[in-house]
Structure formats: C-alpha cells, structure tokens
Amino acid sequence: MMEDECSEESSSRKETFRGTIQFLKKKANEKGAIVTHSQIADRLNLSVEQFNAYYVSDEAPEELFPLLRSQYPDFIGNVTVEIISFTTIHYPPDPPTPDVA
C-alpha cells in the first residue's frame, strides 16, 4: 500500500514598499498629478539614495508606511499594498518496507 505524498503549505504577507509607491504613482497619474521618487523621498525625509535602496530591495522600515499614507491621503489614504506569497513543499513518499518472511 502506498501512502499519499506529504506536503506542507505556508503563506506570508508583507507590506510592499515598491508596490505602495507604484500604487501611489498610478493613482496620482489618474488624477492628473505626477509624483516623482525624489518628491516622495523628500516628504519621507529620506535621501534619494535611501529611497531608491528601499525601492529596489522592497524593504523599508514599518514606520514609513503610515507616514507615506499621511503624506499622500488623496492618492493612497488608508490603502495597504501587500505581497502574499505561498510556498508548498512536497515530500516524497517513504520507501516501501520490505516484507518480513
């Protein structure tokens, strides 16, 4: 008798800096405004270099997200942009146990 293949599933959620910035710029554009990375960096009290590092790595301190929403309430307000990732690990079945005679 063969057992079913075993697997584990996991998921995680993470607020995404790059996704939030892209959403902000899209909403601004829809309202006829152009928002640049340097303008956003200035409002967040970040250097352009630090902003770009956060943008490229998609990692930023959590306190930047509420600040970002408060600086651009007309474009992102209370929106939270998250990445949801799912991982499934499949384990092969155990080898058959030999018959004992």
Side-chain angles (χ1 to χ4, degrees), residues 14-17 54-55 57-65:
K14 177 186 97 142
E15 194 161 9
T16 167
F17 187 74
Y54 292 152
Y55 188 83
S57 71
D58 200 18
E59 297 285 337
E62 288 187 32
E63 61 269 10
L64 284 184
F65 293 99

Side-chain angles (χ1 to χ4, degrees), residues 1-52:
M1 181 162 115
M2 186 177 275
E3 293 182 24
D4 291 333
E5 186 175 293
C6 296
S7 65
E8 290 180 34
E9 292 184 3
S10 65
S11 65
S12 64
R13 298 174 84 105
K14 177 186 97 142
E15 194 161 9
T16 167
F17 187 74
R18 184 181 319 120
T20 302
I21 299 302
Q22 290 170 346
F23 184 82
L24 163 63
K25 292 175 83 172
K26 177 183 174 193
K27 291 299 180 185
N29 190 37
E30 288 173 0
K31 293 185 177 186
I34 296 174
V35 179
T36 66
H37 285 191
S38 61
Q39 289 170 329
I40 299 168
D42 187 51
R43 286 213 185 167
L44 297 177
N45 296 317
L46 298 172
S47 68
V48 173
E49 294 78 16
Q50 187 62 62
F51 175 91
N52 287 334

Side-chain angles (χ1 to χ4, degrees), residues 76-94:
I76 56 175
N78 290 322
V79 172
T80 301
V81 181
E82 294 180 333
I83 292 176
I84 303 172
S85 61
F86 296 94
T87 304
T88 302
I89 301 171
H90 295 280
Y91 298 101
D94 291 334

